[in-house]
Amino acid sequence: MLHTKIVDSKNKKLSINDAERFISSVEFGASIFFTGTVRNLNNNKSVIGITYDSHDELVLKSFEEIYKEADEKLNIQDKAVFIEHAKGYLNLGEMSIIIAVACKHRDQAYVLSRYIIEEIKKRSPIWKKEHYTNDQSDWLKGNPIVHEKI
């Protein structure tokens, strides 16, 4: 069971309650909620906010691929996964991503949650622009979609 969405921060904020409603079931004994939030310092720069941009269609496709790969690589068949990522400007402390997973056992939930966030960071076309206290901003370096052989 999978839910994925890109949420425009101008219209709605990410909600733990939405995630909890989606994954809640008596079938599962373990639930993990991971949230990423905008922090105030990065690379010794004072951050006041972040703008996220994404190729929505490809992001959602990557979320679905990651979910399907988890079946093959992790062998966790019975699960519920909720993934939402924000798009647009976020203030300090606001959530940029929610990943909620429910599985039969806690070790499965921990492994699955970690697998999903690490794969999203590597593969999903999501870009972030940090805004700083000195009125400057920078697009942060991401991961290449195709990794070069060295």
Side-chain angles (χ1 to χ4, degrees):
M1 188 165 67
L2 175 66
H3 165 86
T4 63
K5 189 174 183 181
I6 301 297
V7 177
D8 186 338
S9 64
K10 288 181 272 184
N11 302 323
K12 186 177 185 276
K13 300 296 180 195
L14 299 181
S15 167
I16 289 287
N17 292 335
D18 291 347
E20 188 172 26
R21 276 191 295 277
F22 183 82
I23 67 167
S24 182
S25 171
V26 295
E27 294 177 43
F28 306 121
S31 301
I32 301 285
F33 295 87
F34 171 85
T35 63
T37 57
V38 179
R39 65 178 180 269
N40 67 344
L41 192 64
N42 189 36
N43 294 326
N44 294 319
K45 294 181 180 180
S46 294
V47 177
I48 60 169
I50 294 180
T51 299
Y52 286 91
D53 196 6
S54 62
H55 187 298
D56 297 357
E57 186 177 320
L58 290 179
V59 168
L60 295 175
K61 183 178 178 188
S62 74
F63 291 172
E64 291 169 11
E65 288 171 353
I66 291 164
Y67 176 82
K68 288 176 186 173
E69 286 173 9
D71 285 343
E72 298 164 16
K73 292 183 178 182
L74 304 176
N75 196 28
I76 302 171
Q77 302 301 317
D78 297 321
K79 60 187 171 295
V81 176
F82 177 100
I83 307 168
E84 288 191 353
H85 201 292
K87 183 175 184 173
Y89 184 83
L90 299 177
N91 291 304
L92 292 179
E94 289 188 300
M95 287 186 285
S96 58
I97 189 169
I98 296 176
I99 299 170
V101 302
C103 301
K104 290 191 180 292
H105 306 287
R106 71 178 172 273
D107 59 330
Q108 294 173 322
Y110 278 112
V111 168
L112 181 57
S113 177
R114 181 65 184 257
Y115 178 82
I116 290 169
I117 188 59
E118 296 302 333
E119 291 300 312
I120 287 172
K121 296 289 281 184
K122 282 190 246 180
R123 298 164 44 178
S124 298
I126 300 168
W127 304 278
K128 56 184 174 178
K129 183 178 191 178
E130 286 185 335
H131 305 279
Y132 308 111
T133 55
N134 62 4
D135 291 329
Q136 292 183 337
S137 58
D138 287 321
W139 285 101
L140 299 184
K141 185 177 185 209
N143 291 311
I145 292 175
V146 177
H147 297 281
E148 294 180 29
K149 291 184 180 182
I150 298 175

